Coordinates of all heavy atoms in Angstrom, one line a residue:
M1 N 58.7 -16.0 86.9 CA 57.8 -16.7 86.1 C 57.8 -18.2 86.6 O 58.8 -18.7 87.0 CB 58.2 -16.7 84.6 CG 57.4 -17.4 83.7 SD 56.9 -16.3 82.4 CE 55.9 -17.4 81.5
D2 N 56.5 -18.8 86.7 CA 56.4 -20.2 87.1 C 57.0 -21.2 86.1 O 56.9 -21.0 84.9 CB 54.9 -20.5 87.3 CG 54.3 -19.8 88.5 OD1 55.1 -19.5 89.4 OD2 53.1 -19.6 88.5
D3 N 57.5 -22.2 86.6 CA 58.0 -23.3 85.8 C 56.8 -24.0 85.3 O 55.9 -24.4 86.1 CB 58.9 -24.2 86.8 CG 59.4 -25.4 86.1 OD1 59.1 -25.6 84.9 OD2 60.1 -26.2 86.7
P4 N 56.8 -24.2 84.0 CA 55.6 -24.9 83.3 C 55.4 -26.3 83.9 O 54.2 -26.7 84.0 CB 56.0 -24.9 81.8 CG 57.1 -23.9 81.6 CD 57.8 -23.8 83.0
S5 N 56.3 -27.0 84.3 CA 56.2 -28.3 84.8 C 55.4 -28.3 86.2 O 54.6 -29.0 86.6 CB 57.4 -29.1 85.0 OG 58.3 -28.5 86.0
T6 N 55.7 -27.2 86.9 CA 55.0 -27.0 88.2 C 53.5 -26.6 88.0 O 52.7 -27.1 88.7 CB 55.8 -25.8 89.0 OG1 57.1 -26.1 89.2 CG2 55.1 -25.6 90.3
C7 N 53.3 -25.8 87.0 CA 51.9 -25.3 86.7 C 51.0 -26.6 86.3 O 49.9 -26.7 86.7 CB 51.9 -24.3 85.7 SG 52.6 -22.8 86.1
R8 N 51.7 -27.5 85.6 CA 50.9 -28.7 85.0 C 50.5 -29.5 86.3 O 49.4 -30.1 86.2 CB 51.8 -29.4 84.1 CG 51.7 -28.9 82.7 CD 52.3 -29.9 81.7 NE 53.7 -30.2 82.0 CZ 54.7 -29.6 81.4 NH1 54.4 -28.7 80.5 NH2 55.9 -29.9 81.6
R9 N 51.2 -29.6 87.3 CA 50.9 -30.3 88.5 C 49.6 -29.9 89.1 O 48.8 -30.7 89.7 CB 52.0 -30.3 89.5 CG 53.1 -31.3 89.4 CD 53.9 -31.4 90.6 NE 54.8 -30.1 90.5 CZ 55.5 -29.7 91.5 NH1 55.6 -30.4 92.6 NH2 56.3 -28.6 91.4
Y10 N 49.2 -28.6 89.0 CA 48.0 -28.1 89.7 C 46.8 -28.1 88.7 O 45.8 -27.7 89.2 CB 48.3 -26.8 90.2 CG 49.4 -26.8 91.2 CD1 50.7 -26.3 91.0 CD2 49.2 -27.4 92.5 CE1 51.6 -26.4 91.9 CE2 50.1 -27.4 93.5 CZ 51.4 -26.9 93.2 OH 52.4 -27.0 94.1
V11 N 47.0 -28.5 87.5 CA 45.8 -28.5 86.6 C 44.9 -29.5 87.1 O 45.3 -30.7 87.4 CB 46.2 -28.8 85.1 CG1 45.1 -29.0 84.2 CG2 47.1 -27.6 84.6
G12 N 43.6 -29.2 87.2 CA 42.6 -30.2 87.7 C 42.6 -30.4 89.2 O 41.8 -31.1 89.7
M13 N 43.4 -29.6 89.9 CA 43.4 -29.6 91.4 C 42.2 -28.9 91.9 O 41.8 -28.0 91.3 CB 44.7 -28.9 91.9 CG 44.9 -29.1 93.4 SD 46.4 -28.4 93.8 CE 46.2 -28.3 95.6
L14 N 41.6 -29.5 92.9 CA 40.4 -29.0 93.6 C 40.7 -27.6 94.1 O 41.8 -27.3 94.6 CB 40.2 -29.9 94.8 CG 38.7 -30.2 95.0 CD1 37.9 -30.7 93.8 CD2 38.6 -31.2 96.2
D15 N 39.8 -26.7 93.9 CA 39.8 -25.4 94.5 C 39.3 -25.4 95.9 O 38.1 -25.4 96.1 CB 38.9 -24.4 93.6 CG 39.0 -23.0 94.1 OD1 39.7 -22.7 95.2 OD2 38.5 -22.1 93.5
Y16 N 40.2 -25.6 96.8 CA 39.8 -25.8 98.3 C 39.2 -24.6 98.9 O 38.4 -24.7 99.8 CB 41.0 -26.3 99.1 CG 41.1 -27.8 98.9 CD1 42.0 -28.3 98.0 CD2 40.3 -28.7 99.6 CE1 42.2 -29.7 97.8 CE2 40.4 -30.1 99.3 CZ 41.3 -30.5 98.5 OH 41.5 -31.9 98.3
R17 N 39.5 -23.4 98.4 CA 38.8 -22.1 98.9 C 37.4 -22.2 98.6 O 36.5 -21.9 99.3 CB 39.5 -20.9 98.3 CG 40.7 -20.5 99.0 CD 41.2 -19.2 98.8 NE 41.5 -19.0 97.3 CZ 42.0 -18.0 96.8 NH1 42.3 -17.0 97.4 NH2 42.2 -18.0 95.5
R18 N 37.0 -22.7 97.3 CA 35.6 -22.8 96.9 C 35.0 -24.0 97.7 O 33.8 -23.8 98.2 CB 35.5 -23.2 95.4 CG 34.2 -23.4 94.8 CD 33.2 -22.2 94.9 NE 33.7 -20.9 94.8 CZ 33.3 -19.8 95.4 NH1 32.2 -19.8 96.2 NH2 33.8 -18.7 95.2
V19 N 35.6 -25.1 98.0 CA 35.0 -26.1 98.8 C 34.8 -25.6 100.2 O 33.6 -25.8 100.7 CB 36.0 -27.3 98.8 CG1 35.6 -28.4 99.9 CG2 36.2 -28.1 97.4
L20 N 35.7 -25.0 100.7 CA 35.6 -24.4 102.1 C 34.4 -23.4 102.1 O 33.6 -23.4 103.0 CB 36.7 -23.8 102.5 CG 36.8 -23.1 103.9 CD1 36.6 -24.2 105.0 CD2 38.1 -22.3 104.1
A21 N 34.3 -22.5 101.1 CA 33.3 -21.6 101.1 C 31.9 -22.2 101.0 O 31.0 -21.8 101.8 CB 33.4 -20.7 99.7
E22 N 31.7 -23.2 100.2 CA 30.5 -23.9 100.2 C 30.1 -24.5 101.4 O 29.0 -24.5 101.9 CB 30.4 -24.9 99.0 CG 30.4 -24.2 97.6 CD 30.7 -25.2 96.4 OE1 30.7 -26.4 96.7 OE2 30.7 -24.7 95.3
N23 N 31.0 -25.3 102.0 CA 30.8 -26.0 103.3 C 30.5 -25.1 104.5 O 29.7 -25.5 105.3 CB 32.0 -27.0 103.5 CG 32.0 -28.1 102.5 OD1 31.0 -28.4 101.8 ND2 33.1 -28.7 102.4
V24 N 31.3 -24.0 104.6 CA 31.0 -23.1 105.7 C 29.6 -22.5 105.6 O 28.9 -22.5 106.5 CB 32.1 -22.0 105.7 CG1 31.6 -20.8 106.7 CG2 33.5 -22.5 106.1
K25 N 29.2 -22.1 104.4 CA 27.9 -21.5 104.2 C 26.8 -22.5 104.5 O 25.9 -22.2 105.2 CB 27.8 -21.0 102.8 CG 26.5 -20.2 102.5 CD 26.6 -19.6 101.1 CE 25.3 -18.6 100.9 NZ 25.4 -17.9 99.7
A26 N 27.0 -23.8 104.0 CA 26.1 -24.8 104.2 C 25.9 -25.1 105.6 O 24.8 -25.3 106.3 CB 26.3 -26.0 103.4
A27 N 27.0 -25.3 106.4 CA 27.0 -25.5 107.8 C 26.3 -24.4 108.7 O 25.6 -24.7 109.6 CB 28.4 -25.8 108.3
R28 N 26.7 -23.2 108.3 CA 26.1 -22.1 109.0 C 24.6 -22.0 108.8 O 23.9 -21.8 109.8 CB 26.8 -20.8 108.4 CG 26.2 -19.5 109.0 CD 26.9 -18.3 108.4 NE 26.7 -18.0 107.0 CZ 25.6 -17.6 106.5 NH1 24.4 -17.4 107.2 NH2 25.5 -17.4 105.2
K29 N 24.2 -22.2 107.6 CA 22.7 -22.2 107.3 C 22.0 -23.3 108.1 O 20.9 -23.2 108.5 CB 22.4 -22.1 105.9 CG 22.8 -20.8 105.2 CD 22.3 -20.7 103.7 CE 22.5 -19.4 103.2 NZ 21.8 -19.2 102.0
A30 N 22.6 -24.5 108.1 CA 22.0 -25.6 108.8 C 21.9 -25.4 110.2 O 20.9 -25.9 110.9 CB 22.9 -26.9 108.6
L31 N 22.7 -24.6 110.8 CA 22.6 -24.1 112.2 C 21.6 -22.9 112.4 O 21.5 -22.4 113.5 CB 24.0 -23.9 112.8 CG 24.8 -25.2 113.0 CD1 26.2 -24.8 113.5 CD2 24.1 -26.2 113.9
D32 N 21.2 -22.4 111.3 CA 20.3 -21.2 111.2 C 21.1 -20.0 111.9 O 20.6 -19.3 112.7 CB 19.0 -21.5 112.0 CG 17.9 -20.4 111.5 OD1 18.0 -19.9 110.4 OD2 17.1 -20.1 112.4
L33 N 22.3 -19.9 111.6 CA 23.2 -18.8 112.0 C 23.4 -17.7 110.9 O 23.5 -18.1 109.7 CB 24.6 -19.2 112.4 CG 24.7 -20.0 113.6 CD1 26.1 -20.6 113.8 CD2 24.4 -19.2 114.9
S34 N 23.3 -16.4 111.2 CA 23.7 -15.4 110.3 C 25.2 -15.4 110.2 O 25.9 -15.9 111.1 CB 23.2 -14.1 110.8 OG 23.7 -13.7 112.1
Q35 N 25.8 -14.7 109.3 CA 27.2 -14.4 109.1 C 27.6 -13.6 110.4 O 28.7 -14.0 111.0 CB 27.5 -13.6 107.9 CG 27.5 -14.5 106.6 CD 27.9 -13.6 105.4 OE1 27.9 -12.4 105.4 NE2 28.1 -14.4 104.3
E36 N 26.9 -12.8 110.8 CA 27.2 -11.9 112.0 C 27.2 -12.8 113.2 O 28.2 -12.7 114.1 CB 26.2 -10.8 112.2 CG 26.6 -9.8 113.3 CD 25.6 -8.6 113.3 OE1 24.8 -8.5 112.6 OE2 26.0 -7.7 114.1
A37 N 26.3 -13.7 113.4 CA 26.3 -14.6 114.6 C 27.5 -15.5 114.6 O 28.2 -15.6 115.6 CB 25.0 -15.4 114.7
L38 N 27.8 -16.0 113.4 CA 29.1 -16.9 113.3 C 30.3 -16.2 113.7 O 31.1 -16.6 114.4 CB 29.1 -17.5 112.0 CG 30.4 -18.4 111.7 CD1 30.5 -19.5 112.8 CD2 30.4 -18.9 110.3
A39 N 30.4 -14.9 113.1 CA 31.5 -14.0 113.4 C 31.7 -13.8 114.8 O 32.8 -13.8 115.4 CB 31.3 -12.7 112.5
L40 N 30.6 -13.5 115.5 CA 30.7 -13.2 117.0 C 31.1 -14.4 117.7 O 32.0 -14.3 118.6 CB 29.2 -12.8 117.5 CG 28.9 -11.3 117.1 CD1 27.4 -11.0 117.5 CD2 29.7 -10.3 117.8
E41 N 30.6 -15.6 117.3 CA 31.0 -16.8 118.0 C 32.5 -17.1 117.8 O 33.2 -17.6 118.7 CB 30.2 -18.0 117.4 CG 28.8 -18.0 117.8 CD 28.5 -18.9 118.9 OE1 29.2 -19.9 119.1 OE2 27.5 -18.6 119.6
A42 N 33.0 -16.8 116.6 CA 34.4 -17.1 116.3 C 35.3 -15.9 116.5 O 36.6 -16.1 116.3 CB 34.5 -17.5 114.8
A43 N 34.8 -14.8 117.1 CA 35.6 -13.6 117.5 C 36.3 -13.1 116.2 O 37.5 -12.8 116.3 CB 36.6 -13.9 118.5
I44 N 35.6 -13.0 115.0 CA 36.2 -12.4 113.8 C 35.1 -11.5 113.3 O 34.0 -11.4 113.7 CB 36.6 -13.6 112.8 CG1 35.3 -14.4 112.4 CG2 37.6 -14.4 113.3 CD1 35.6 -15.4 111.3
D45 N 35.6 -10.7 112.2 CA 34.6 -9.8 111.6 C 33.7 -10.4 110.6 O 34.1 -11.3 110.0 CB 35.5 -8.7 110.8 CG 34.6 -7.5 110.6 OD1 34.5 -6.6 111.3 OD2 34.2 -7.4 109.4
R46 N 32.5 -9.9 110.6 CA 31.5 -10.4 109.7 C 32.0 -10.5 108.3 O 31.7 -11.4 107.4 CB 30.1 -9.7 109.7 CG 29.0 -10.3 108.9 CD 28.0 -9.4 108.5 NE 28.4 -8.2 107.7 CZ 28.8 -8.3 106.4 NH1 28.8 -9.4 105.8 NH2 29.2 -7.1 105.8
T47 N 32.7 -9.4 107.8 CA 33.1 -9.3 106.5 C 34.2 -10.5 106.2 O 34.3 -10.9 105.0 CB 33.8 -7.9 106.2 OG1 35.0 -7.7 107.0 CG2 32.8 -6.8 106.3
Y48 N 34.9 -10.9 107.2 CA 35.9 -12.0 107.0 C 35.0 -13.3 106.7 O 35.4 -14.1 105.8 CB 36.7 -12.2 108.3 CG 38.0 -13.1 108.0 CD1 39.0 -12.7 107.2 CD2 37.9 -14.4 108.5 CE1 40.0 -13.6 107.0 CE2 39.0 -15.3 108.3 CZ 40.0 -14.9 107.5 OH 41.2 -15.6 107.4
V49 N 33.9 -13.5 107.5 CA 33.1 -14.7 107.2 C 32.6 -14.6 105.8 O 32.6 -15.6 105.0 CB 32.0 -14.8 108.2 CG1 30.9 -15.9 107.8 CG2 32.5 -15.0 109.6
S50 N 32.1 -13.4 105.4 CA 31.6 -13.3 104.0 C 32.7 -13.6 103.0 O 32.3 -14.2 102.0 CB 31.1 -11.8 103.8 OG 30.7 -11.5 102.5
G51 N 33.9 -13.1 103.2 CA 35.0 -13.4 102.3 C 35.2 -14.9 102.2 O 35.6 -15.4 101.1
I52 N 35.3 -15.6 103.3 CA 35.5 -17.0 103.3 C 34.4 -17.7 102.4 O 34.7 -18.5 101.6 CB 35.5 -17.6 104.7 CG1 36.7 -17.2 105.5 CG2 35.4 -19.1 104.7 CD1 36.7 -17.5 107.0
E53 N 33.1 -17.3 102.7 CA 31.9 -17.8 102.0 C 31.9 -17.6 100.5 O 31.3 -18.3 99.7 CB 30.6 -17.4 102.6 CG 30.4 -18.1 104.0 CD 29.1 -17.8 104.6 OE1 28.3 -17.1 104.0 OE2 28.8 -18.3 105.6
R54 N 32.6 -16.5 100.1 CA 32.7 -16.2 98.7 C 34.0 -16.7 98.0 O 34.2 -16.5 96.9 CB 32.6 -14.6 98.5 CG 31.3 -14.1 98.7 CD 31.2 -12.5 98.5 NE 32.0 -11.9 99.6 CZ 33.0 -11.1 99.3 NH1 33.3 -10.8 98.0 NH2 33.7 -10.5 100.2
G55 N 34.8 -17.4 98.9 CA 36.0 -18.0 98.3 C 37.1 -17.0 98.1 O 38.1 -17.1 97.4
R56 N 37.0 -15.8 98.7 CA 37.9 -14.7 98.5 C 39.0 -14.7 99.6 O 40.1 -14.1 99.3 CB 37.3 -13.3 98.6 CG 36.2 -13.2 97.5 CD 36.8 -12.9 96.2 NE 35.8 -12.6 95.2 CZ 35.5 -13.2 94.1 NH1 36.3 -14.3 93.9 NH2 34.6 -12.9 93.3
R57 N 38.8 -15.3 100.7 CA 39.7 -15.4 101.8 C 40.5 -16.7 101.8 O 39.8 -17.7 101.4 CB 39.1 -15.2 103.1 CG 38.5 -13.8 103.3 CD 39.6 -12.8 103.4 NE 39.1 -11.5 103.7 CZ 39.8 -10.6 104.5 NH1 41.0 -10.8 104.9 NH2 39.3 -9.4 104.6
N58 N 41.7 -16.8 102.4 CA 42.4 -18.0 102.4 C 42.7 -18.2 103.9 O 43.9 -17.9 104.4 CB 43.7 -17.9 101.6 CG 44.3 -19.2 101.4 OD1 43.8 -20.3 101.7 ND2 45.6 -19.2 101.0
P59 N 41.7 -18.7 104.8 CA 42.0 -18.8 106.2 C 43.1 -19.7 106.6 O 43.3 -20.7 105.9 CB 40.6 -19.2 106.7 CG 39.9 -19.8 105.6 CD 40.5 -19.2 104.4
S60 N 43.7 -19.5 107.7 CA 44.7 -20.5 108.2 C 44.0 -21.6 108.8 O 42.8 -21.7 109.0 CB 45.4 -19.7 109.4 OG 44.5 -19.6 110.5
L61 N 44.9 -22.6 109.0 CA 44.3 -23.9 109.6 C 43.7 -23.7 111.0 O 42.7 -24.2 111.3 CB 45.4 -24.9 109.7 CG 45.9 -25.5 108.4 CD1 47.1 -26.4 108.6 CD2 44.8 -26.3 107.7
T62 N 44.3 -22.8 111.7 CA 43.8 -22.4 113.0 C 42.4 -21.8 112.9 O 41.5 -22.2 113.6 CB 44.7 -21.4 113.7 OG1 46.0 -22.0 113.9 CG2 44.1 -21.0 115.1
M63 N 42.2 -20.9 111.9 CA 40.9 -20.3 111.7 C 39.8 -21.4 111.2 O 38.7 -21.4 111.6 CB 41.0 -19.2 110.6 CG 39.6 -18.5 110.3 SD 38.7 -17.9 111.8 CE 39.9 -16.7 112.4
I64 N 40.3 -22.3 110.3 CA 39.4 -23.4 109.9 C 39.0 -24.3 111.1 O 37.7 -24.6 111.2 CB 40.0 -24.3 108.8 CG1 40.3 -23.4 107.5 CG2 39.2 -25.5 108.4 CD1 41.2 -24.0 106.5
A65 N 39.9 -24.6 111.9 CA 39.6 -25.3 113.1 C 38.6 -24.6 114.1 O 37.6 -25.2 114.6 CB 40.9 -25.7 113.9
K66 N 38.8 -23.3 114.1 CA 37.9 -22.4 115.0 C 36.5 -22.4 114.4 O 35.5 -22.6 115.1 CB 38.5 -21.1 115.1 CG 37.7 -20.1 116.0 CD 38.3 -18.7 115.9 CE 39.0 -18.4 117.1 NZ 39.4 -16.9 117.1
L67 N 36.4 -22.3 113.1 CA 35.1 -22.2 112.4 C 34.4 -23.6 112.5 O 33.2 -23.7 112.8 CB 35.3 -21.8 111.0 CG 35.6 -20.4 110.6 CD1 35.9 -20.3 109.2 CD2 34.5 -19.5 111.0
A68 N 35.2 -24.7 112.3 CA 34.6 -26.0 112.4 C 34.0 -26.2 113.8 O 32.9 -26.7 114.0 CB 35.7 -27.1 112.2
E69 N 34.7 -25.8 114.9 CA 34.2 -26.0 116.3 C 32.9 -25.2 116.5 O 32.0 -25.7 117.0 CB 35.3 -25.5 117.3 CG 34.9 -25.6 118.7 CD 35.9 -25.1 119.7 OE1 37.1 -25.2 119.4 OE2 35.5 -24.6 120.7
R70 N 32.8 -23.9 116.0 CA 31.7 -23.1 116.1 C 30.5 -23.6 115.3 O 29.3 -23.5 115.6 CB 32.0 -21.7 115.7 CG 33.0 -20.9 116.5 CD 32.9 -21.2 118.0 NE 33.7 -20.4 118.8 CZ 34.9 -20.6 119.1 NH1 35.5 -21.7 118.7 NH2 35.7 -19.8 119.9
L71 N 30.8 -24.4 114.2 CA 29.8 -25.0 113.3 C 29.4 -26.3 113.6 O 28.8 -27.0 112.8 CB 30.3 -24.8 111.8 CG 30.4 -23.4 111.2 CD1 31.1 -23.3 109.9 CD2 29.0 -22.7 111.1
K72 N 30.0 -26.8 114.7 CA 29.8 -28.3 115.1 C 30.0 -29.2 114.1 O 29.3 -30.1 113.9 CB 28.3 -28.3 115.6 CG 28.0 -27.4 116.8 CD 26.5 -27.4 117.2 CE 26.0 -26.6 118.4 NZ 26.7 -25.4 118.7
T73 N 31.3 -29.1 113.5 CA 31.7 -30.0 112.6 C 33.2 -30.2 112.7 O 33.8 -29.8 113.8 CB 31.4 -29.6 111.0 OG1 31.5 -30.6 110.2 CG2 32.0 -28.3 110.7
T74 N 33.9 -30.8 111.8 CA 35.4 -30.9 111.8 C 36.0 -30.2 110.7 O 35.4 -29.8 109.6 CB 35.7 -32.4 111.7 OG1 35.4 -32.8 110.3 CG2 35.1 -33.3 112.7
P75 N 37.3 -29.8 110.8 CA 38.0 -29.2 109.7 C 38.0 -30.1 108.5 O 37.9 -29.6 107.4 CB 39.5 -29.0 110.3 CG 39.3 -28.9 111.8 CD 38.1 -29.9 112.1
A76 N 38.1 -31.4 108.6 CA 38.1 -32.3 107.5 C 36.8 -32.2 106.8 O 36.7 -32.1 105.5 CB 38.3 -33.7 108.0
A77 N 35.7 -32.1 107.4 CA 34.4 -31.9 106.8 C 34.2 -30.6 106.0 O 33.7 -30.6 104.9 CB 33.3 -32.1 107.9
L78 N 34.9 -29.6 106.6 CA 34.8 -28.3 105.8 C 35.6 -28.2 104.7 O 35.4 -27.5 103.8 CB 35.2 -27.2 106.9 CG 34.3 -26.8 108.0 CD1 34.9 -25.6 108.8 CD2 32.9 -26.4 107.5
L79 N 36.6 -29.1 104.6 CA 37.5 -29.2 103.4 C 37.3 -30.3 102.5 O 37.9 -30.5 101.4 CB 39.0 -29.3 103.9 CG 39.5 -28.1 104.6 CD1 40.8 -28.3 105.2 CD2 39.5 -26.9 103.6
S80 N 36.2 -31.1 102.7 CA 35.7 -32.3 101.8 C 34.7 -31.8 100.9 O 33.7 -31.0 101.2 CB 35.1 -33.3 102.7 OG 36.0 -33.9 103.6
P81 N 34.9 -32.1 99.5 CA 34.0 -31.7 98.5 C 32.6 -32.4 98.8 O 32.6 -33.5 99.2 CB 34.6 -32.2 97.2 CG 36.0 -32.5 97.5 CD 36.1 -32.8 99.1
M82 N 31.6 -31.5 98.5 CA 30.2 -32.1 98.6 C 29.9 -33.0 97.5 O 30.4 -32.7 96.3 CB 29.2 -31.0 98.7 CG 29.2 -30.1 99.9 SD 27.8 -29.0 100.0 CE 28.1 -28.2 101.4
T83 N 29.1 -34.0 97.7 CA 28.6 -34.8 96.7 C 27.5 -34.2 96.0 O 26.9 -33.3 96.5 CB 28.2 -36.2 97.1 OG1 27.1 -36.1 98.0 CG2 29.3 -36.9 97.9
Q84 N 27.0 -34.6 94.8 CA 25.9 -34.1 94.1 C 24.6 -34.3 95.0 O 23.8 -33.4 95.0 CB 25.7 -34.7 92.7 CG 26.8 -34.2 91.8 CD 26.5 -34.8 90.4 OE1 25.8 -35.8 90.2 NE2 27.1 -34.2 89.4
E85 N 24.6 -35.3 95.7 CA 23.4 -35.6 96.6 C 23.3 -34.5 97.6 O 22.3 -34.0 98.0 CB 23.5 -37.0 97.3 CG 23.1 -38.1 96.5 CD 23.3 -39.5 97.3 OE1 23.6 -39.5 98.5 OE2 23.1 -40.5 96.6
Q86 N 24.5 -34.1 98.3 CA 24.6 -33.1 99.3 C 24.2 -31.8 98.8 O 23.5 -31.0 99.4 CB 25.9 -33.1 100.0 CG 26.2 -34.3 100.8 CD 27.7 -34.4 101.2 OE1 28.6 -34.1 100.4 NE2 27.9 -34.6 102.5
T87 N 24.6 -31.4 97.5 CA 24.3 -30.1 97.0 C 23.0 -30.1 96.4 O 22.5 -29.0 96.0 CB 25.4 -29.8 95.9 OG1 25.3 -30.7 94.9 CG2 26.8 -29.7 96.5
G88 N 22.4 -31.2 96.0 CA 21.0 -31.2 95.4 C 21.1 -31.0 93.9 O 20.1 -30.6 93.4
K89 N 22.2 -31.1 93.3 CA 22.5 -30.9 91.9 C 22.4 -32.1 91.2 O 22.8 -33.2 91.7 CB 23.8 -30.1 91.6 CG 23.7 -28.7 92.2 CD 25.0 -28.0 92.0 CE 24.9 -26.6 92.6 NZ 26.2 -25.9 92.5

């Protein structure tokens, strides 16, 4: 069982899988790439790209760097929360 004091530290913490999901999808679409095309570029399975974009996968730093390179961005940009202006909300 988790220590309650440890759990409290993570309350309000950003969901970086969700941030990554939104940013990978936005960057992929901005380049007019399909999930399959990105997967081929990154030498991974299309279902893995789908899992990342749905926030179901927890990719390694190496994979994030590889995706960033293929998406012509940086790992930092993929892990940065979008502003309301960027999301159009």
